[in-house]
Amino acid sequence: MELSRRRIVQMLAGWGLSPMVGRLPAAAVQPEPGGELGVPLFEEVPSSKSGIAWVHTNAMSPERYLPETLPPGVAFLDYDNDGWMDIYLVNTGPCDFYKPTKPTPNALYRNNRDGTFTDVTDKAGVPGGTFGMGVAAGDYDNDGFPDLFITAYGRCTLYHNQGDGTFRDVTDKAGLACPGWTTSAVWFDYDNDGRLDLFVCSFVNYGPESRLACGDNHLGRHYYCIPRAFKPTHSFLFHNNGDGTFTDVTRGTEIERALGKALGVVATDINNDRRLDLFVANDTVQNFLFVNRGNNRWDEVALAAGVAYSENGDARSGMGVDAADFDQDGWQDLFVSNIDQQMYSLYRNDHDESFSDVARANDVAQATRLMSGWGLKFFDFDNDGFTDLFLANGHPDDMVERYTLSVKYKEPLLLFRQYGGRLHDISAQAGPIFHKDFAARGLAIGDYNNDGRIDVLVGNNGGAPLLLRNNAGAGNHWLGLKLVGRHCNRDAVGARIIWSAGGLKWSRLKTGGGSYLSSHDPREVLGLGPARKVDWVEIHWPLPSSRVERFVDLPLNRYVTLVEGEGHAN
């Protein structure tokens, strides 16, 4: 007999148990319809309707230079502070091996609030101009406007948002040019001083002097080298000085000593000590887990934590990462995507700075065995209160289909819905877009039409971006939060959110970064399921604030702003 959630809560109360979502008996929680009858859960918005005409240039050449395979990153951000998510897209540009014959700019699209976007790149002054990789948006100077950091093969770029619809390149003044080849980056406050610092992933040592040609394949054509052929590098940690400048504080830390080939990073708190840690995905070498011990002391514990290698002890091709309290036990779990034949990993937090890979106990391992994953994100796509998962895939080698029948260059997106305490692969039933194939790379999530259903933006290597409108969660309610820190960092990265509705209680940590080369809508959408009332929402603001605020009488199905210390919603 199928049990309703209300009946489950009544049973739990009768047993004297706390009705946390993650504690519900697995057999009792049943899947519910995700959307309206006949409507796909995610629906492609064509450029003819969105107005997004930009196309990524991957600079693919007969010589097969490795940087051609990695981008692009994408971002949702509200650059003009009008309450609607805008879009930023990263392109390639001139470098030591690529001289485009016409401009290949990045693109900033302003949200017109009617489902369409307008290209404002030139007006805003954010064209890029380097061989771009990824983007990280964050309000590093706490002025209320998100700034943009662009990683690249070559010089990075920091665009300061001037609050009038324009940006200014302040890279040199800030000290953030960054040498070499950088990939993902994350804004987070590692020292809890109320200002966002910056971690920047560095890939391999690759340049005119160190570049390798891996020769011809049996087709008589150059092929992309496996990153194993190149020397690893250390990533960078920059401290925000509070005056528009940053100091490289990498030297002397385990971040400097840990030489890797970093592609993805997420800032999260794995041990609940209120200091943000870093999980870094590396390609062909072990992953890193940097635990923040305070005073810029970092312990790299990935091997002891069980997240460095595969279960067989092999280094994999880590690309995208994310963190969330997947099982609602109050501890952050981790996810990392890899290349085909390696399977992706879902790491359950064991509460002692170690993790167990539970990908096989979910549908993840089986569904990803022949996939190569890049952008990914944990989020509650249907607002039922459970954490789901979206994956963007695509093989890095455009000639892979010449060598094998089981792996393709362009691959499908994957959608996993959580119910019964497990992630279930529902891609086949989620809509036509999941039956198409893409050379997907970066992935960002954000609610571009403000309907409370979190949408998805995917960057495709050498192609147009993919904007997916979320149609799921029919009948479920939600509450959207914009958190504004006063004593803590203004973006409130590191805040813990706890909420109650319909007799159930959930919690979430506002992490930094995640996915691959991409940046997300900074707002939080709290899924309420069928509950018609929010009992309360509690915000544990990040340090240096020690403030805990509880909010009641909050509305359903709309966004509100919660400002630290004000005690009421705006």
Side-chain angles (χ1 to χ4, degrees):
M1 179 179 66
E2 182 174 319
L3 298 176
S4 70
R5 292 191 183 183
R6 186 171 301 275
R7 178 56 182 152
I8 293 169
V9 172
Q10 292 171 346
M11 290 167 58
L12 288 172
W15 297 333
L17 299 176
S18 174
M20 290 289 286
V21 169
R23 307 292 187 187
L24 297 182
V29 182
Q30 299 296 324
E32 300 173 354
E36 299 173 7
L37 187 62
V39 177
L41 299 184
F42 285 89
E43 184 175 4
E44 180 179 4
V45 182
S47 60
S48 59
K49 290 187 176 181
S50 69
I52 300 174
W54 180 92
V55 176
H56 179 251
T57 302
N58 62 4
M60 185 179 288
S61 64
E63 290 77 17
R64 293 299 195 272
Y65 297 112
L66 191 58
E68 299 166 2
T69 68
L70 263 62
V74 297
F76 279 115
L77 75 157
D78 183 7
Y79 85 97
D80 53 359
N81 247 345
D82 67 350
W84 295 75
M85 285 298 115
D86 311 299
I87 285 174
Y88 193 74
L89 306 163
V90 179
N91 213 346
T92 57
C95 68
D96 54 53
F97 64 81
Y98 178 54
K99 308 298 179 186
T101 57
K102 60 180 181 180
T104 55
N106 299 352
L108 176 63
Y109 280 92
R110 187 189 68 231
N111 192 324
N112 297 326
R113 313 183 196 182
D114 60 1
T116 68
F117 294 82
T118 297
D119 189 336
V120 295
T121 312
D122 292 338
K123 180 180 178 182
V126 287
T130 60
F131 200 95
M133 290 284 140
V135 53
D139 184 5
Y140 74 85
D141 57 351
N142 289 336
D143 66 353
F145 291 89
D147 310 296
L148 287 169
F149 182 73
I150 315 300
T151 61
Y153 170 68
R155 181 183 186 272
C156 293
T157 306
L158 177 63
Y159 286 119
H160 175 252
N161 190 332
Q162 302 188 99
D164 60 359
T166 68
F167 292 75
R168 184 163 58 96
D169 185 340
V170 296
T171 313
D172 292 333
K173 176 187 174 183
L176 289 178
C178 278
W181 180 359
T182 54
T183 54
S184 295
V186 58
W187 294 103
F188 75 121
D189 184 7
Y190 79 85
D191 57 351
N192 289 325
D193 65 354
R195 298 187 293 266
L196 290 179
D197 309 299
L198 183 66
F199 180 88
V200 184
C201 290
S202 178
F203 196 43
V204 298
N205 187 5
Y206 189 95
E209 294 79 22
S210 56
R211 186 180 302 137
L212 300 174
C214 289
D216 297 342
N217 55 27
H218 68 267
L219 302 173
R221 297 165 63 183
H222 288 300
Y223 62 92
Y224 290 114
C225 296
I226 297 174
R228 190 177 297 111
F230 299 97
K231 292 182 179 179
T233 59
H234 70 76
S235 295
F236 300 93
L237 178 64
F238 292 94
H239 177 257
N240 187 335
N241 299 322
D243 59 0
T245 69
F246 292 78
T247 299
D248 185 347
V249 293
T250 316
R251 184 176 297 277
T253 68
E254 292 207 3
I255 294 174
E256 181 189 41
R257 290 188 286 271
L259 300 182
K261 303 175 183 181
L263 289 178
V265 60
V266 63
T268 189
D269 182 3
I270 68 153
N271 53 10
N272 287 339
D273 65 355
R274 302 193 72 187
R275 290 190 289 258
L276 289 177
D277 313 300
L278 295 164
F279 181 47
V280 179
N282 284 306
D283 195 346
T284 70
V285 298
Q286 74 170 74
N287 299 323
F288 297 144
L289 181 57
F290 296 110
V291 176
N292 185 349
R293 303 301 187 192
N295 299 315
N296 198 27
R297 184 167 71 87
W298 301 85
D299 286 345
E300 200 293 287
V301 301
L303 181 60
V307 298
Y309 299 101
S310 72
E311 291 178 333
N312 297 326
D314 298 321
R316 295 185 288 186
S317 295
M319 294 181 280
V321 295
D322 201 21
D325 183 6
F326 162 75
D327 54 2
Q328 281 293 296
D329 64 353
W331 298 76
Q332 290 286 290
D333 310 300
L334 303 173
F335 193 94
V336 61
S337 62
N338 301 295
I339 206 165
D340 65 279
Q341 312 300 335
Q342 296 179 347
M343 296 183 292
Y344 309 171
S345 284
L346 172 61
Y347 290 115
R348 186 191 63 222
N349 194 320
D350 293 333
H351 310 175
D352 58 0
E353 296 190 2
S354 71
F355 294 79
S356 298
D357 191 344
V358 295
R360 294 183 187 276
N362 292 265
D363 280 356
V364 172
Q366 302 90 317
T368 62
R369 189 176 69 83
L370 298 178
M371 298 289 171
S372 298
W374 304 83
L376 58 95
K377 204 74 179 83
F378 280 120
F379 67 105
D380 179 8
F381 80 87
D382 55 358
N383 287 331
D384 66 351
F386 292 84
T387 300
D388 310 301
L389 179 67
F390 200 113
L391 302 176
N393 308 287
H395 200 277
D397 183 359
D398 65 308
M399 291 185 283
V400 67
E401 294 170 52
R402 306 286 187 96
Y403 318 136
T404 176
L405 297 177
S406 59
V407 177
K408 299 186 298 182
Y409 172 57
K410 294 184 177 182
E411 297 176 346
L413 307 168
L414 292 176
L415 179 64
F416 296 84
R417 182 170 184 265
Q418 185 185 166
Y419 56 86
R422 296 177 60 246
L423 285 174
H424 297 262
D425 182 3
I426 63 166
S427 310
Q429 299 82 41
I433 196 63
F434 293 90
H435 297 276
K436 296 183 179 181
D437 297 325
F438 303 93
R441 297 296 187 265
L443 178 150
I445 63 168
D447 183 8
Y448 80 89
N449 55 3
N450 281 349
D451 66 353
R453 301 172 179 182
I454 300 175
D455 310 298
V456 173
L457 178 66
V458 178
N460 289 307
N461 185 262
L466 185 64
L467 179 62
L468 300 178
R469 183 177 62 245
N470 184 343
N471 299 317
N476 288 336
H477 298 289
W478 57 277
L479 171 64
L481 301 181
K482 178 181 179 180
L483 302 183
V484 178
R486 291 298 190 207
H487 298 288
C488 67
N489 67 88
R490 189 180 179 96
D491 288 355
V493 177
R496 186 171 294 277
I497 306 164
I498 305 173
W499 71 102
S500 173
L504 300 178
K505 187 169 71 172
W506 296 267
S507 71
R508 180 183 300 169
L509 181 73
K510 191 174 194 294
T511 57
S515 190
Y516 168 77
L517 302 183
S518 299
S519 198
H520 313 284
D521 186 338
R523 301 173 298 180
E524 297 287 337
V525 176
L526 311 183
L528 307 175
R532 297 184 177 275
K533 183 179 184 298
V534 185
D535 301 324
W536 48 264
V537 173
E538 194 172 87
I539 307 298
H540 295 238
W541 296 94
L543 295 173
S545 176
S546 57
R547 189 184 300 271
V548 177
E549 293 183 280
R550 178 171 285 203
F551 301 85
V552 296
D553 298 323
L554 294 173
L556 283 179
N557 304 330
R558 58 167 288 194
Y559 284 94
V560 299
T561 299
L562 303 181
V563 180
E564 179 190 356
E566 290 193 355
H568 60 83
N570 299 315

